[in-house]
Amino acid sequence: MRKALIAVGVLIVLIVVAIAALPFAVDANRYRGKVQSELQARTGRPVSLGQMRLSVFPFAFRVENAIIGEDKNFASSQPFAQVGELFVSAKLIPLMRGDVQIDSLELRRPRIELIRNRQGVWNFSTMNSTKPQNPPATTPQPQPEPQTQPGSQGRKLSLAELKIIDGQVALTDQQRNQPRAIYDHIDLQLNDYAPDKKFSFELAAHLPGAGAQRLSLDGEAGPMRSDTPSATDFKGSLKLDEVSLSGLKKFLNSQALENIEFVASGKAEVENKAGLVTSSGDLKLEKGRVNGVEIGYPVTADYNVTADLNSELYKIGRGTLKLGATPVSVVGTINGSPTPMVLDLKVDASNASISEAARLAAAFGIAFNPGMDIKGKIDAALTAKGAANKPVMNGKVSTHELVITGKGLPQAVQVTNVDLALTPTTISSNEFVATTGSTATHVNFVLNSYASDNSSIDATVRADGAKLGELLSIAKASGISAVEDMDGSGAVNLNVRVQGSTRKNAALNYSGSGTLRDGSISLPSFTKPVQVRQADIKFSQNAAIFDNVVFALGSTNARGSMSLKGLNPGATPQLQFALNADKFDATEWQTLMRNQPVPAKTAAIFELIPTAYAARVAEAPLMHRLVGNGTVDVANLIYDKLQMTNAHSNVNLDHGVVKLAPFTAQLYGGAVNGTMVMDTRPTPAVYTVSTKMDRVDANQLLSAVSKADKILYGLLAANANTNFTGTTSDNIASHLNGNIQLNLQDGKMANLDLLNQLAAIGKFGAQGTTQPYTNIVKLTGNFDVKNGVARTDNLNAVIDAGSLAAKGAIDLANQTLDMQVTAVLSQPFSQSVGGNNIGGYLTTALANSKGELVMPVIITGTFTNPKVAPDVRRLAQMKLDNLLPSMGSPGSLTTSILGGLLGTRKKEDMPQSDQGATPGDPNNTTPANVGDPNQKTPQKTAEPAPPQSVFDQIMGAVGAAQKKKQEPAKKEPEKPQEPPK
């Protein structure tokens, strides 16, 4: 006995060793031609096989990169099937005789292409019906010619077992003109498959996502109808195990039911007989979300449905839905063939809780705010027939004991019984009342031709002696999204009627009236509430007209009238107004206006089906959507330190751009007029100003728009075309751009006694008492301003003792100077200080042919501490060119240097003031003779002086007066005085 057991053990070991060694002993590739030929015969398609080897577990031929070609009648860039790993099991006894008879197939990670052509024929239905097609043009590697077995042509595809593991199926339906869709992660097993008999199947799909995510269908099917696969009989069980809709949509490559999510579990029986499918079962939907809103309760369905797949007609024999604990019965038919589908349904609910239905409706954006908790009962008995998007209904819907609480409601809103009567042409309500606190709102409506393109509404809303805050609470509870972020107080009377087309919002007409007294309204477009002391309201067409309005916002108090058009959903608000205000502070209003996008709302006063809350899209702030025009009168107009009085303007509003034109106002003792444009869309706002000013106090103006306080005095006339951003005067200066043309009269420039500075540079001594300013008779010029830096090349000024021409840059933000100035001192003043005998002659000063001293200097430093230095380079250039400016034209080189003329006269013939040292004298400051210095100059008779211009006569008189004033020069200098304001 012991020996027998040992022998059996040895035999088993030998068998195991033999089986394990079999793949190494048998060259499976010598069967490739036979296996390939057999598969071609079974499928009627070209087949290409890669490398083969014998597999023990399972015992089969393991084939790499198997390809089954497509029927040439189906145009496709892809083969019918591509299999990464194919296991082919053959019957053992015939195989030992060299005959390959395939018994089963196992396809791992295959990719299969299913195509239905325009004639309704599927590509797999032609398998076995024709001789094998030509093999694919390219194969993974060179293959031997297939050896066709006798009698293999047209052999039926029958298998003991067919397995697909983790397969991918791509479906293209050309008959329905549907794009290619991919279905992934599919497992399929067919047992005892033959096309002309019944077979069992197990189908499973593993969907992506958390949880089990498994969908399975198993049962019996057959015989296979290759011409119309949907007519193949089958009977089986469908199981859903924690299948999420998102995973199902990915599996089906479908975007249907967008913004809806749930997890489904349940079991259903499915049977198909010649295309007539019957299904019954129980499904449970949990973790429901619609438009981002949690449903908060499960939905169960107990149903029995029959579907005719040929006509796409679905009959609901039993349909009991439970929304949480609320039952709703649905029976009838759905015809899915036309677009849109056609309904014939009956819906019943008796004394059901409205909470769940209201929450579901709110999630879909219908009638209720999802932040509200609604309690009450509902009765419904109605039928719905016709197109799914425009069903015709008959029956009644009633609600009672409604109590609404929740977000934004200080106290509950109660609604009396609402009775809706539905006919094929109208939906009408009784007059129901919504109350909260001491406010009651009466509402009724009729919706006509609701199933047509010409549907219309006739509704009324009435509230007498209401409180604004409570009225807004009722609107919020009703689902009117336009008031969701609003709040307020005050006494309201309202009686509004809305009539018109519901398809064309612009065609809605409003009529009625209302009043508001001692109100305060918080709006999402403003950071502070609007205080409305009184307003009389009239409604006409799609506009609300406000008369006798007295309101305040921030520090602004205003009164007047206005009208707001565009009350209808989606319309652009249009504002017309005529207002008087005591004050308008532009800086304050920038902080009052919200520039951030706000949730989109409709401005409709009455909405049958309010905007979907969860799906709202952010829209621009109110100021950026407004258009309109009007007039304003403002007693005080303020921008930071800049103040205008008695301002009047026409105003145009265009989606955030405010244009004032023409604009007039009083400005620091003078007048200003022109155009102002304020673009509120960026932050901070951008201002574009084109103005003309006359006799404006220069010091007050510059102090208001820059740091140049107490620098320049006088009466200013100017033309300016500028733009800037910012909210303070410092920002205005640094962001100022444009051009300015100015004319200053009777002014002073502080912190600079230019005449004494010139005296020090020219070495002709201080002239009288030093004073901390320079008198300016007149100042003119043009400035080109870029980012607060003003540049000029034609600045001209008349001072007490002469005239100036300047060019260069002034930084208004940093208060720095970089100017090249040419000073021309009048002839009388020049003679009074020594003429061409001054100490700096030819070094820091020159005299022109009219006897006027010319001094080019550079002014740098700051507004409060300017620095004056000789412009040596400019002086040298003048001497080289022998050209100097004159007092009448200080910016142009029109006269010659005086020394060239004096050299033609004898020294003793010169006036005492023109005589100087000889050329050899080291103290000589007189210009040398032009040409040879030793050459004698012929004596000339003195020529009469040329006639003086009016300007020269005036400046001569000014110089004489200055000279007379400065005669007692030996007095002690007085302390600098502050410049007059």
Side-chain angles (χ1 to χ4, degrees):
M1 183 65 182
R2 181 179 179 184
K3 292 181 179 180
L5 291 175
I6 293 174
V8 171
V10 171
L11 181 61
I12 292 174
V13 171
L14 291 175
I15 293 173
V16 171
V17 171
I19 293 175
L22 191 60
F24 302 98
V26 177
D27 182 11
N29 283 296
R30 68 189 182 91
Y31 292 97
R32 183 190 300 132
K34 293 182 179 181
V35 173
Q36 185 170 279
S37 177
E38 179 69 10
L39 287 174
Q40 288 182 158
R42 296 282 186 109
T43 62
R45 301 291 175 87
V47 175
S48 171
L49 303 179
Q51 285 292 329
M52 294 177 57
R53 65 181 178 85
L54 192 64
S55 170
V56 178
F57 301 105
F59 185 74
F61 293 108
R62 180 182 180 275
V63 184
E64 297 178 355
N65 300 322
I67 298 176
I68 301 175
E70 184 58 271
D71 187 335
K72 64 181 181 180
N73 295 314
F74 290 83
S76 175
S77 60
Q78 302 290 332
F80 174 75
Q82 300 179 71
V83 187
E85 196 174 21
L86 172 66
F87 291 86
V88 181
S89 298
K91 295 180 180 179
L92 183 59
I93 300 303
L95 183 62
M96 295 175 63
R97 299 196 300 263
D99 182 17
V100 178
Q101 295 183 20
I102 296 176
D103 186 51
S104 64
L105 295 174
E106 182 177 314
L107 290 73
R108 297 184 180 179
R109 299 178 303 281
R111 289 179 293 170
I112 301 171
E113 292 284 330
L114 299 182
I115 302 174
R116 180 160 69 169
N117 63 20
R118 298 189 181 280
Q119 291 72 38
V121 179
W122 288 93
N123 59 346
F124 64 82
S125 68
T126 63
M127 297 179 71
N128 304 121
S129 62
T130 60
K131 294 182 179 180
Q133 307 295 324
N134 295 326
T138 58
T139 57
Q141 60 185 28
Q143 302 290 331
E145 289 296 326
Q147 300 177 8
T148 305
Q149 297 296 318
S152 65
Q153 295 286 346
R155 187 179 300 172
K156 298 285 187 180
L157 178 62
S158 59
L159 298 168
E161 185 180 68
L162 171 64
K163 274 188 179 182
I164 294 176
I165 299 175
D166 195 18
Q168 181 188 89
V169 176
L171 175 62
T172 303
D173 194 337
Q174 298 173 352
Q175 187 181 46
R176 294 191 176 185
N177 198 29
Q178 293 179 346
R180 184 172 180 262
I182 297 177
Y183 305 89
D184 213 343
H185 305 295
I186 296 175
D187 296 336
L188 174 66
Q189 180 171 334
L190 305 181
N191 297 314
D192 298 324
Y193 172 78
D196 53 356
K197 68 175 186 178
K198 286 187 176 183
F199 58 89
S200 62
F201 66 89
E202 294 180 12
L203 174 66
H206 300 274
L207 278 58
Q213 297 284 351
R214 179 179 172 83
L215 180 153
S216 64
L217 177 65
D218 59 80
E220 287 188 342
M224 177 65 73
R225 294 281 299 272
S226 59
D227 53 345
T228 53
S230 61
T232 299
D233 291 350
F234 75 87
K235 183 177 182 180
S237 297
L238 174 68
K239 293 181 181 179
L240 300 177
D241 187 6
E242 296 183 348
V243 174
S244 67
L245 181 60
S246 58
L248 187 62
K249 286 188 290 188
K250 291 179 182 178
F251 172 76
L252 298 177
N253 191 28
S254 170
Q255 296 303 314
L257 302 178
E258 195 67 26
N259 298 321
I260 299 177
E261 180 56 65
F262 56 75
V263 175
S265 299
K267 183 177 181 181
E269 299 298 323
V270 184
E271 183 176 3
N272 181 27
K273 288 187 177 180
L276 188 64
V277 178
T278 301
S279 177
S280 61
D282 297 292
L283 293 178
K284 185 176 184 179
L285 308 181
E286 298 177 292
K287 302 178 182 179
R289 290 178 64 89
V290 178
N291 292 321
V293 178
E294 293 280 356
I295 301 302
Y297 55 83
V299 177
T300 61
D302 178 10
Y303 72 93
N304 182 287
V305 176
T306 301
D308 188 338
L309 300 182
N310 298 314
S311 63
E312 296 189 48
L313 182 65
Y314 306 89
K315 183 178 180 181
I316 304 174
R318 181 183 77 253
T320 301
L321 298 177
K322 281 190 176 181
L323 310 178
T326 301
V328 178
S329 172
V330 180
V331 297
T333 61
I334 300 174
N335 187 351
S337 180
T339 302
M341 64 181 64
V342 176
L343 309 178
D344 186 358
L345 300 175
K346 183 179 179 181
V347 180
D348 288 293
S350 178
N351 201 33
S353 170
I354 199 175
S355 300
E356 289 79 8
R359 195 178 307 169
L360 185 62
F364 279 100
I366 299 175
F368 296 102
N369 186 326
M372 300 299 171
D373 183 17
I374 301 157
K375 296 180 179 179
K377 301 295 183 179
I378 184 171
D379 295 311
L382 59 89
T383 60
K385 297 182 179 181
N389 61 336
K390 299 176 184 177
V392 172
M393 293 178 283
N394 259 307
K396 293 182 178 181
V397 177
S398 299
T399 65
H400 45 95
E401 301 175 17
L402 286 184
V403 178
I404 306 172
T405 58
K407 179 183 176 182
L409 301 183
Q411 51 191 327
V413 175
Q414 298 180 345
V415 183
T416 60
N417 292 1
V418 180
D419 298 322
L420 299 180
L422 299 94
T423 73
T425 58
T426 63
I427 300 176
S428 58
S429 77
N430 63 324
E431 181 175 288
F432 56 92
V433 181
T435 60
T436 184
S438 61
T439 297
T441 304
H442 300 255
V443 181
N444 67 76
F445 68 88
V446 176
L447 190 62
N448 296 300
S449 304
Y450 61 88
S452 72
D453 292 331
N454 299 317
S455 60
S456 63
I457 190 172
D458 186 350
T460 59
V461 179
R462 178 170 54 86
D464 298 321
K467 293 181 179 179
L468 179 59
E470 294 173 347
L471 189 63
L472 291 173
S473 293
I474 293 173
K476 294 174 186 178
S478 302
I480 299 178
S481 57
V483 302
E484 183 184 1
D485 296 322
M486 293 174 58
D487 201 357
S489 61
V492 177
N493 290 298
L494 190 66
N495 191 344
V496 184
R497 185 176 184 183
V498 185
Q499 296 173 290
S501 172
T502 60
R503 304 292 180 181
K504 299 178 182 179
N505 290 326
L508 283 176
N509 291 321
Y510 295 79
S511 60
S513 61
T515 61
L516 175 60
R517 297 290 184 268
D518 300 322
S520 176
I521 307 174
S522 297
L523 299 171
S525 296
F526 296 101
T527 59
K528 290 185 177 180
V530 181
Q531 307 294 332
V532 182
R533 296 183 180 89
Q534 69 176 46
D536 297 330
I537 311 169
K538 294 181 181 178
F539 296 95
S540 177
Q541 294 185 344
N542 69 337
I545 302 168
F546 300 86
D547 290 325
N548 303 318
V549 179
V550 180
F551 70 93
L553 180 58
S555 62
T556 299
N557 294 282
R559 63 174 58 242
S561 62
M562 64 182 72
S563 67
L564 179 62
K565 294 182 179 180
L567 299 177
N568 302 316
T572 299
Q574 302 175 47
L575 186 64
Q576 306 289 326
F577 54 90
L579 298 174
N580 288 274
D582 63 342
K583 177 183 177 182
F584 182 89
D585 188 331
T587 304
E588 179 189 40
W589 272 72
Q590 288 188 56
T591 63
L592 291 174
M593 300 294 294
R594 294 188 194 274
N595 275 4
Q596 293 78 17
V598 296
K601 300 176 183 12
T602 173
I605 292 178
F606 181 86
E607 296 172 274
L608 181 64
I609 300 179
T611 303
Y613 284 81
R616 287 184 298 169
V617 179
E619 64 179 13
L622 176 63
M623 192 65 185
H624 296 179
R625 292 180 285 122
L626 268 179
V627 299
N629 55 73
T631 61
V632 293
D633 289 275
V634 183
N636 291 283
L637 182 60
I638 302 170
Y639 184 93
D640 192 34
K641 299 177 183 178
L642 182 67
Q643 296 190 35
M644 303 180 193
T645 58
N646 299 326
H648 172 81
S649 182
N650 293 335
V651 182
N652 181 266
L653 306 175
D654 185 9
H655 299 93
V657 178
V658 182
K659 183 177 182 180
L660 308 179
F663 171 84
T664 61
Q666 293 177 348
L667 177 64
Y668 301 126
V672 60
N673 64 79
T675 300
M676 296 185 183
V677 178
M678 179 173 63
D679 189 348
T680 66
R681 293 170 298 182
T683 302
V686 177
Y687 295 82
T688 302
V689 181
S690 177
T691 58
K692 182 177 181 180
M693 292 178 281
D694 186 38
R695 301 187 66 80
V696 175
D697 186 301
N699 175 55
Q700 293 188 65
L701 177 62
L702 290 177
S703 299
V705 300
S706 70
K707 296 178 181 178
D709 186 22
K710 298 179 181 180
I711 299 297
L712 185 65
Y713 297 84
L715 297 179
L716 178 65
N719 293 324
N721 293 284
T722 60
N723 64 79
F724 57 88
T725 61
T727 57
T728 66
S729 58
D730 296 342
N731 288 337
I732 293 177
S734 59
H735 293 90
L736 186 65
N737 291 276
N739 56 79
I740 302 172
Q741 181 183 26
L742 60 84
N743 187 331
L744 181 75
Q745 303 282 345
D746 302 326
K748 296 179 184 294
M749 179 177 291
N751 304 318
L752 175 65
D753 186 348
L754 183 59
L755 202 56
N756 274 280
Q757 291 283 345
L758 294 175
I761 292 172
K763 300 179 182 178
F764 53 80
Q767 299 299 309
T769 303
T770 301
Q771 52 191 9
Y773 57 86
T774 298
N775 285 321
I776 299 175
V777 179
K778 185 176 182 179
L779 178 67
T780 62
N782 296 325
F783 286 91
D784 183 26
V785 187
K786 291 185 178 179
N787 297 323
V789 178
R791 299 183 184 277
T792 181
D793 59 5
N794 66 349
L795 188 65
N796 292 280
V798 177
I799 60 176
D800 286 344
S803 62
L804 308 173
K807 64 179 180 179
I810 301 173
D811 192 323
L812 300 175
N814 296 329
Q815 304 185 68
T816 57
L817 301 166
D818 185 9
M819 301 292 293
Q820 291 180 327
V821 180
T822 301
V824 181
L825 303 179
S826 67
Q827 194 267 348
F829 180 81
S830 300
Q831 294 300 322
S832 71
V833 297
N836 63 337
N837 285 321
I838 67 173
Y841 188 68
L842 287 182
T843 303
T844 56
L846 298 172
N848 64 20
S849 59
K850 294 183 179 182
E852 300 164 341
L853 284 176
V854 178
M855 299 183 66
V857 296
I858 297 175
I859 300 179
T860 57
T862 64
F863 291 174
T864 57
N865 187 23
K867 300 181 183 300
V868 183
D871 190 343
V872 180
R873 180 177 297 180
R874 177 74 171 152
L875 189 77
Q877 187 65 43
M878 288 179 176
K879 288 194 289 186
L880 180 64
D881 296 337
N882 193 31
L883 288 174
L884 296 177
S886 65
M887 185 172 170
S889 181
S892 303
L893 301 177
T894 58
T895 64
S896 61
I897 295 177
L898 178 64
L901 298 176
L902 294 177
T904 63
R905 293 190 282 173
K906 292 182 179 180
K907 183 176 180 181
E908 58 268 25
D909 295 333
M910 295 179 187
Q912 182 66 32
S913 62
D914 289 345
Q915 292 182 16
T918 62
D921 188 343
N923 297 321
N924 176 31
T925 57
T926 306
N929 294 334
V930 178
D932 187 354
N934 298 319
Q935 181 180 354
K936 292 184 179 180
T937 306
Q939 185 175 353
K940 285 182 112 181
T941 307
E943 297 178 358
Q948 288 184 319
S949 65
V950 175
F951 181 85
D952 290 337
Q953 294 175 16
I954 294 174
M955 294 314 302
V958 172
Q962 181 72 12
K963 177 180 178 182
K964 185 176 181 180
K965 184 190 303 183
Q966 296 171 350
E967 283 179 355
K970 293 185 179 182
K971 290 183 178 181
E972 289 296 323
E974 297 178 2
K975 293 183 179 180
Q977 299 177 358
E978 287 293 325
K981 294 185 179 180

